Amino acid sequence: MKTSELVTAVVLFMIAAGLLVLAILHFLERGPLLNNAAIYASREERKTMGKKPWYRQSAIVFCLLSAVFAVLGLSIVLQNGKLMLLEIPLFAAVIVYALVSTVRIGRKK
């Protein structure tokens, strides 16, 4: 394994770990809510909105994205290009989950 591949793998694993930490914080409903619903809401809307479903949505998305970066890192470390094919269903899961959960949260209001 070349040095550049090693550095790339380490960076990818660090990103995966950072996303996993964000996911855990969001599952615990701690820290800033990193979700478009909260970011684009006015100050008054943020005070009255129920943040629990948005924290959960963000946490699950961060978990899935962490898995994506972990798979990327593993594919580089193991030098197996076929592992990169696992990214396709993971990215699809992120997009589908984000859309479906946003609609569900919207309906509950």
Side-chain angles (χ1 to χ4, degrees), residues 13-86:
F13 285 128
M14 287 174 58
I15 292 170
L19 287 168
L20 191 59
V21 167
L22 277 174
I24 291 168
L25 288 174
H26 275 70
F27 275 124
L28 297 173
E29 296 180 19
R30 304 266 187 227
L33 178 56
L34 301 175
N35 192 302
N36 284 342
I39 292 171
Y40 292 126
S42 68
R43 196 172 286 217
E44 295 169 1
E45 288 174 332
R46 277 187 224 132
K47 290 179 183 177
T48 60
M49 74 187 283
K51 294 182 182 174
K52 187 171 183 156
W54 299 112
Y55 267 115
R56 180 175 165 78
Q57 179 191 39
S58 295
I60 292 171
V61 168
F62 285 140
C63 278
L64 290 170
L65 288 176
S66 176
V68 168
F69 281 97
V71 167
L72 275 170
L74 281 174
S75 69
I76 291 174
V77 168
L78 299 175
Q79 296 180 351
N80 186 350
K82 292 181 181 179
L83 276 178
M84 289 188 153
L85 293 176
L86 288 175

Side-chain angles (χ1 to χ4, degrees), residues 57 60-61 64-65 68 87-103:
Q57 179 191 39
I60 292 171
V61 168
L64 290 170
L65 288 176
V68 168
E87 292 174 41
I88 296 169
L90 286 172
F91 271 128
V94 169
I95 293 168
V96 169
Y97 176 76
L99 292 174
V100 170
S101 66
T102 300
V103 169

